[in-house]
Amino acid sequence: MGIAYSSLLSLSPCTATIHITGSSLFPYASKANPERVINSIFNHTNNICLANLQKPTKKFGSFSRFSHNSTCLGSKIVPLKCCGKVREMETQERILQKPLIDFHGIDEELVQKMVYDALVWSSLHGLVVGDKSVQRSGKVPGVGLVHAPFALLPMAFPESHWNLACEVAPLFNELIDRVSLDGKFLQDALSRTKKVDAFTSGLLDIHSKMLEINKKEEIRLGLHRSDYMLDEQTKLLLQIELNTISASFPGLGCRVSELHRSLLNYHGEHIGLDPRRIPGNTSVDKFAEALAKAWTEYNRPRALVMVVVQPEERNMYDQHWICAALKDRHNVTAIRKSLAEIDKEGEILPDGTLLVGGQEISVVYFRAGYAPTDYPSEAEWRARLLMEQSSAVKCPSISYHLAGTKKIQQELAKPNMLERFLENKEDISKLQKCFAGLWSLEDSDIIKKAIERPELFVMKPQREGGGNNFYGDDVRTNLVRLQKEGTQEDAAYILMQRIFPAVSPTFLVREGICHKDHAISEFGVYGAYLRNKEKVIVNEQCGYLMRTKVSSSNEGGVAAGFAVLDSIYLS
C-alpha cells in the first residue's frame, strides 16, 4: 500500500471532537502566474498553488464510546483508539465521507454477533494466515493458523470509479507488455538508479545479459495489480503503483468479498445493506485460469507450474488458493520452491528446458524475489538468472519486473511518453487521467517545493511492500540531506503527489478483537495478460483487492501489518 492519507488522530477516553481542515487540498489558483506545485500534462494537477493551501480550521461532531469490556462469545470490541488529548487531524473540507451505516447508532450486541459470525466464517472458509507468534507457522501448513485481518463491513465505493478501474486494466496490461519489449528504454531510464541501488542493479544485470544473448520471451504472462486511491477533493481515481511481480491477495481477497456477502445475507436487513451491491470477486479463479493457459501454451503435459516462495511465508494460504484452483479446475500441478532451493536443485537442458528436482517446469510464478531481503546470498541471484535463461514462462519475466518499478512509473507519466508505446489517443487519455503527480529528484523546482511543503508529497524508493516510503517532515529531512551530500543517491527515489482520500468510521478485526476507528482505503484491480508471439490470448481485468487502514497510519500493506483486507460496496 503506497500513498497514504495525512492525519494525526488521537481521541480522549471520553467523547472526542476532531478538528479538520477547512480548505481543499488542491484549489485552482485564480492569480496570474501562480506558483505551481505540479508541472505536468494532467488536467487534475494543473495550476496548483502552494499559497492557497490553508491550515486545518473546520470541526466535525463527536463520537460516543464503546465499553472497553464488551465481549461476545470470545470476541470483544475496542473503542475508537484513545491515546491522550485530541490533536488536529490535517485533512481537507468534506474529507469525512458519509458512512454506509450509522456507526454510532448501531446496536452493540448486533456488532458483537457479526464479529463472532465473521470469525467462525473465516475459520471455516480459509480466510487465514500464519500466526507470527508460532514459530513453524510460516513453514508447515496447518500449524499456527489465525484469521487474516479484515474489515467487518465493506467500504463504500462509487460504481463509476469501479467501472473506470475495470476499463483501464487491460490498457495497463498492454502498456506493461509494450514497455517490457523496449530494453533500451528500461536500461536508460534506470541507469542512474543502478549506480546507487544494489537491488535494482542486480535486476538490470540479469536483464542486460538477456539482451546480450538476444533472449526472446515468446510466451509472456503477466498477473498484475494496479492500486488506486480516490482523491476526495478532485473525485479522481489516482494510481499509486502498478504491481507486476507477486501481486498478493487474489486468494484471500476473494474470501473477504464472500465473507461480507454472507454477513449481509444474515444481518443486512438490520443495517440496511444489500449484499448484491458487493461485486463478485473472481481474482483467484482468473489467476489460476491464466496460469493454466500459459501451461497449455507451453504444451508439455508432464510439466509443472512452480511457485517461487519465501523460505518462511505466513501468507502461504493466499498462494495455496491459487494452486488448489489450478489443480481442481484445470488439473495442473504446482510445486513450491524457494530461490535457494531452485539454486540447489535447478538445471537447464541444452534445449532450454528448466528442471527443478528433476521435474520439468513450464511456468514460473513469482511470489518472492521482489525485495532485496529475498536475495541474502549469491545463490538466490543465481537462481533468478537460471530461470530467466530457461524456456519456461516467467510470471513475471525480468523485463516485466523492471517495467513495474517506481522509476519507470514516473518516466511513463512524463509528457508524450505514453505515445512511445501506445497508438490509440483515447486509451492514452484514459491512462493519463489515472496518473498522480510524479517527479524525478533531478527536478530542482519540485525539490524546492517539496522542502517547503513536504506534507503534499511522498518520497518513494524502488521497493515493493509496506514500510519503505517517507512522509511529512521525513521528506524534507531526506531531501535536504541529499542536497548537502551532493551524491547520486537521489536517483534511488522518486517524488509522488500525496493523495488525500475520504475518511470513514469502520470496524477493523485483528486477532479476534474488533476495533472501531477512522479509516481510509486503497483499491486495487487485478489484471491478467497472456501472449504467445503475436497472439494475445488473455487480456482482462480479473477481480479486485480492497485494503483499509486507520487514517493515522502513513504506511500500508496487510502482510506488513498496517492494513486489513476489505471489499467494496458499490454506491
Side-chain angles (χ1 to χ4, degrees), residues 279-313:
N281 197 346
T282 59
S283 53
V284 69
D285 290 335
K286 290 292 188 180
F287 268 33
E289 182 181 355
L291 287 164
K293 287 184 176 180
W295 175 86
T296 299
E297 292 298 314
Y298 187 82
N299 198 25
R300 298 289 289 269
R302 293 180 178 272
L304 308 176
V305 170
M306 181 173 67
V307 186
V308 182
V309 299
Q310 294 174 336
E312 292 191 31
E313 178 57 89

Side-chain angles (χ1 to χ4, degrees), residues 258-269:
E258 294 170 7
L259 165 65
H260 286 163
R261 272 195 295 272
S262 176
L263 288 174
L264 295 193
N265 278 326
Y266 280 101
H267 304 289
E269 290 183 8

Side-chain angles (χ1 to χ4, degrees), residues 15 29 42 54 94 182 188 308 357 385 407 453 501 517 529 537:
T15 305
F42 313 127
Q54 301 175 21
R94 297 176 291 104
D182 195 334
D188 290 349
V308 182
L385 177 60
K407 178 60 181 176
R453 297 299 303 272
D517 213 324
Y529 187 91
I537 299 160

Side-chain angles (χ1 to χ4, degrees), residues 47 64 81 109 121 131 134 163 179 247 286 299 333 428 434 441 463 482 513 516 533 548:
N47 302 323
S64 60
K81 283 194 173 179
E109 289 187 7
W121 192 100
D131 186 344
V134 179
N163 292 331
V179 171
K286 290 292 188 180
N299 198 25
T333 301
I428 291 171
C434 296
L441 267 63
R463 296 290 181 267
L482 290 173
I513 301 173
K516 184 182 180 185
K533 298 179 181 177
T548 295

Side-chain angles (χ1 to χ4, degrees), residues 71 82 97 139 150 165 183 300 311 365 392 412 471 501 509 518 523:
T71 60
C82 304
Q97 71 176 6
K139 291 186 175 181
F150 60 85
R300 298 289 289 269
Y365 173 38
L412 292 174
Y471 300 86
V509 184
H518 294 90
F523 173 64

